[in-house]
Amino acid sequence: MSKGSPGPTPGFLVWRLANKWRVAVDRAVAPLGLTHAQYSLVASLYGMQRAGERPSQRRLADHTGLEALYVSKLARALESAGLIERTRDPRDPRAVQLALTEQGQAVTRQAIAVVQELHQQLLEPLGGLDAPRTRAFTDELTTLLGTSLAPSVPNDESTQGTTP
C-alpha cells in the first residue's frame, strides 16, 4: 500500500487476487496430482494440441507467460508422471516438442472441468463466468497484460549519456 493512497493499490490487489486464485486452483487440482503451474501447462498444451499444434517448450513458455526454464522443469516432472511426452523437434535439434499422452489428456480434461467449476464459484460475485461484469473484468485484465511492464526510464539530462 502507498502512503498517499487511502486504500490498497491496484498492484497490491492484483497480487493478492493472483495468490488467492493460485491457492484455490492448487487445492482444486491436487486430487488429480497437479499443481496450479502444472495445470496451466497441461491445459494450455491441451488447447494447443486440439488446434493441431505440437508446441516446443519455448512456444508453450511464451503462451503461458512462464519462464522457459520453469516450463522445462514442469515438463520433466509431467513426463515422469506419464502425462506428457517430450521429443526432439526434427527441424531443430535444440528444441523439445511437447504432447499430452492419452493419460495426460484424460487427466487434463478432468482438471479443466474442475477448474471451470472453480472459476464459476470465484466469479460469482461478478455474476458468474458468463456475466457482463466478468467479461468487462476479463477485458480490463487483457488490456493490462498487453501493456509493457518495463519501467520507464526518466529522460532528464542527468541520465543522458550514462550507462545504467
Side-chain angles (χ1 to χ4, degrees), residues 58-77:
R58 163 56 65 195
R59 169 84 176 93
L60 193 56
D62 292 344
H63 178 80
T64 60
L66 297 170
E67 293 292 327
L69 195 58
Y70 190 44
V71 168
S72 177
K73 178 182 174 185
L74 290 170
R76 283 192 304 275

Side-chain angles (χ1 to χ4, degrees), residues 150-162:
S152 60
V153 178
N155 189 13
D156 66 76
E157 292 178 28
S158 65
T159 60
Q160 290 180 355
T162 61

Side-chain angles (χ1 to χ4, degrees), residues 16-28 35-37:
R16 288 281 315 273
L17 182 60
N19 282 315
K20 180 179 180 179
W21 204 283
R22 181 192 49 78
V23 167
V25 174
D26 267 336
R27 289 179 181 154
T35 64
H36 184 242

